[in-house]
Amino acid sequence: MKPVNIGICGLGTVGSGVYNILQRNAKQINSRANAAICVTHVGSRRDNPACDIGETRVSRDIFEVAKDPTIDIVVELIGGTSVAFDLVMMSIKHGKHVVTANKALIAENGAEIFAAAEQQGVIVAFEAAVAGGIPIIKALREGLAGNQINWLAGIINGTSNFILTEMASKGRAFPDVLAEAQAKGYAEADPTFDIEGIDAAHKLAILASVAFSIPLNIESIFVQGITQLEQLDIGYARELGYAIKHLGIARQSGEGVELRVHPTLVPAASLIAGVNDVLNAVMVDADALGSSLYYGRGAGSEPTASSVLADIIDISRVLENPPATWVPALGCPLEVLTAQKMIPVADIETCYYLRFSMLDTPGALSNATKIMADAGISIEAIIQKEQPAGIDYVNVILVTNRLPERCLNAAVSEIEDLSTVQGSVTTLRLEHLDQ
Ligand code: HSE
């Protein structure tokens, strides 16, 4: 069997997982790769007691791995976009194939990285960058290669899903659950990336590029995190028959492509509503297959390492084949990627959940619903909560039909201007996710 030498840069949670799986499953991995895969160089500032790397060469300077002439594949697991970018570009320059779990790096610098890789005739593989252990990149670019993808919607940040699940099922407070997610190692080094939707946006940019053969386009994504979500909206949504999930949604139509990340009401009976805790899932609607759901662990040591290993095995199998025979990184050659019109968020159509506090007086509700009617907005569901004696304001909850955000915004401003309405209107998007 031909030897394939691996250099792992970053021996943290995922790096140690890769090492341990390679030791445990060496026989199967080598026979599947038709190669003797061996980690021969580790670049890491510190040792990790979670794995025993024995006599493997260790460099405290990770760039030594990129320069090591004996290394075939550099595995970048250090995260971030500055040193990781330099490491990946140096590895490519030295003719190494690269495997990375770094979604921010691919989403923000992918165009430059893939162009350099194409020029050098090396592979940059990134299955672990999206949804951890779920092989969604391979599903899109290989398994669904014969389909036109209409849309995909995913729970692609485990930390946000964990927080929402705990808030909904146990009524726990946001900061308390976030602290637990950090302690369990789900959250990014900067948890803002998780709770403000940035991590999900990075993953959505990659998914959309592979699914729609469009360039990576992080700037066009509308991004809303979960920090503004209130416990009472989770409760009202449940009463109406919905769960609130943090979704990344990409859809293409004749009008263009819409890309958005935000908390979303989804029918409580839908498959995606049942995806809880730190788990991830991506639902894909494709013209030939119809809907399919990819579900599993989106973070953690061995789940993410599972995807890293799949890429290592893929590359090892084709090492001696000419680049033209490889499945391209984004599913098609870079020159085939076609920019499409990005639909601004104001023009994106969805249903809405609205909540506002209104003076309990005759005619108050009809004034609000008249504003909706005049704007051509249909009310699909409504709840008005009776308040205890002595409290003059009631919570009103409405669910609308599908409409563009710009129409909703105008009506919401008018409702907020009513003298009977107190404070602002809470607005959440709602998707039925039907085909
Ligand atoms: N912080 C990420 C998450 C880790 O919570 O999903 C996996 O990308």
Side-chain angles (χ1 to χ4, degrees):
M1 270 185 184
K2 65 177 186 283
V4 173
N5 294 336
I6 310 293
I8 296 182
C9 293
L11 200 61
T13 310
V14 181
S16 59
V18 171
Y19 207 98
N20 288 336
I21 302 174
L22 259 174
Q23 279 182 332
R24 193 170 73 231
N25 298 344
K27 203 166 151 228
Q28 298 93 316
I29 288 172
N30 289 345
S31 65
R32 286 171 189 155
N34 192 26
I37 294 174
C38 185
V39 178
T40 54
H41 199 160
V42 167
S44 178
R45 285 212 204 98
R46 58 192 74 86
D47 299 335
N48 187 344
C51 64
D52 175 10
I53 62 166
E55 298 302 306
T56 308
R57 180 180 169 196
V58 178
S59 293
R60 297 301 176 204
D61 173 3
I62 52 165
F63 292 95
E64 289 302 314
V65 179
K67 290 187 240 166
D68 181 343
T70 68
I71 290 294
D72 299 299
I73 303 174
V74 171
V75 180
E76 182 279 305
L77 299 172
I78 59 172
T81 49
S82 55
V83 179
F85 177 74
D86 293 342
L87 175 74
V88 166
M89 292 304 273
M90 183 188 275
S91 302
I92 292 170
K93 193 172 138 226
H94 283 82
K96 318 291 183 202
H97 302 283
V98 174
V99 173
T100 178
N102 193 330
K103 54 259 167 161
L105 180 70
I106 296 297
E108 289 175 17
N109 303 103
E112 201 175 337
I113 290 171
F114 295 130
E118 203 171 275
Q119 207 174 15
Q120 282 291 328
V122 295
I123 301 172
V124 174
F126 51 90
E127 181 64 70
V130 181
I134 306 174
I136 185 64
I137 300 298
K138 291 190 203 309
L140 288 170
R141 64 173 209 175
E142 297 171 39
L144 297 175
N147 288 251
Q148 165 133 330
I149 309 295
N150 300 319
W151 55 262
L152 57 87
I155 295 175
I156 45 180
N157 182 267
T159 302
S160 294
N161 200 34
F162 178 69
I163 293 173
L164 291 183
T165 304
E166 290 289 301
M167 285 174 74
S169 62
K170 300 184 188 147
R172 290 177 64 191
F174 185 99
D176 170 38
V177 195
L178 174 60
E180 187 182 338
Q182 287 177 284
K184 287 189 159 153
Y186 304 152
E188 296 299 301
D190 176 357
T192 318
F193 275 55
D194 298 294
I195 59 179
E196 294 296 2
I198 303 159
D199 178 75
H202 286 143
K203 293 164 180 168
L204 187 71
I206 299 171
L207 286 174
S209 178
V210 178
F212 303 149
S213 302
I214 57 173
L216 290 155
N217 198 334
I218 186 84
E219 295 79 22
S220 302
I221 303 181
F222 169 78
V223 185
Q224 199 176 49
I226 60 168
T227 49
Q228 304 301 317
L229 208 55
E230 291 187 44
Q231 189 69 257
L232 85 167
D233 291 314
I234 296 176
Y236 288 141
R238 187 186 296 124
E239 275 187 52
L240 288 160
Y242 296 93
I244 301 184
K245 292 291 176 188
H246 190 245
L247 295 188
I249 300 175
R251 190 187 300 268
Q252 73 172 340
S253 63
E255 323 266 286
V257 170
E258 58 182 68
L259 300 176
R260 50 201 168 99
V261 165
H262 51 71
T264 316
L265 276 78
V266 292
S270 62
L271 283 174
I272 215 147
V275 176
N276 287 320
D277 303 318
V278 74
L279 286 149
N280 281 198
V282 182
M283 179 167 263
V284 181
D285 187 66
D287 68 342
L289 173 64
S291 279
S292 52
L293 182 76
Y294 306 85
Y295 167 83
R297 294 187 188 281
S301 176
E302 292 209 355
T304 310
S306 162
S307 285
V308 170
L309 280 159
D311 281 342
I312 291 175
I313 293 168
D314 257 6
I315 295 172
S316 303
R317 278 194 198 121
V318 302
L319 265 181
E320 274 136 38
N321 298 352
T325 64
W326 304 339
V327 180
L330 291 170
C332 64
L334 291 184
E335 68 271 16
V336 177
L337 296 179
T338 310
Q340 287 195 44
K341 179 184 171 237
M342 291 293 158
I343 302 176
V345 68
D347 292 341
I348 293 177
E349 283 192 14
T350 182
C351 303
Y352 285 91
Y353 160 104
L354 309 179
R355 171 176 57 82
F356 48 91
S357 175
M358 173 170 261
L359 189 63
D360 190 9
T361 185
L365 184 58
S366 69
N367 286 340
T369 53
K370 181 168 186 313
I371 290 170
M372 308 283 274
D374 290 348
I377 302 171
S378 166
I379 297 169
E380 306 291 313
I382 184 164
I383 301 179
Q384 182 184 312
K385 287 287 172 188
E386 198 178 358
Q387 294 296 84
I391 297 179
D392 297 332
Y393 281 84
V394 292
N395 276 336
V396 176
I397 299 98
L398 303 177
V399 173
T400 73
N401 63 333
R402 281 182 80 82
L403 71 155
E405 191 200 68
R406 72 169 81 254
C407 300
L408 181 91
N409 287 347
V412 162
S413 300
E414 277 192 64
I415 291 174
E416 286 174 342
D417 287 345
L418 289 172
S419 60
T420 48
V421 169
Q422 190 184 44
S424 55
V425 176
T426 295
T427 306
L428 291 167
R429 290 170 174 79
L430 184 154
E431 291 283 350
H432 290 103
L433 299 179
D434 25 48
Q435 298 129 49

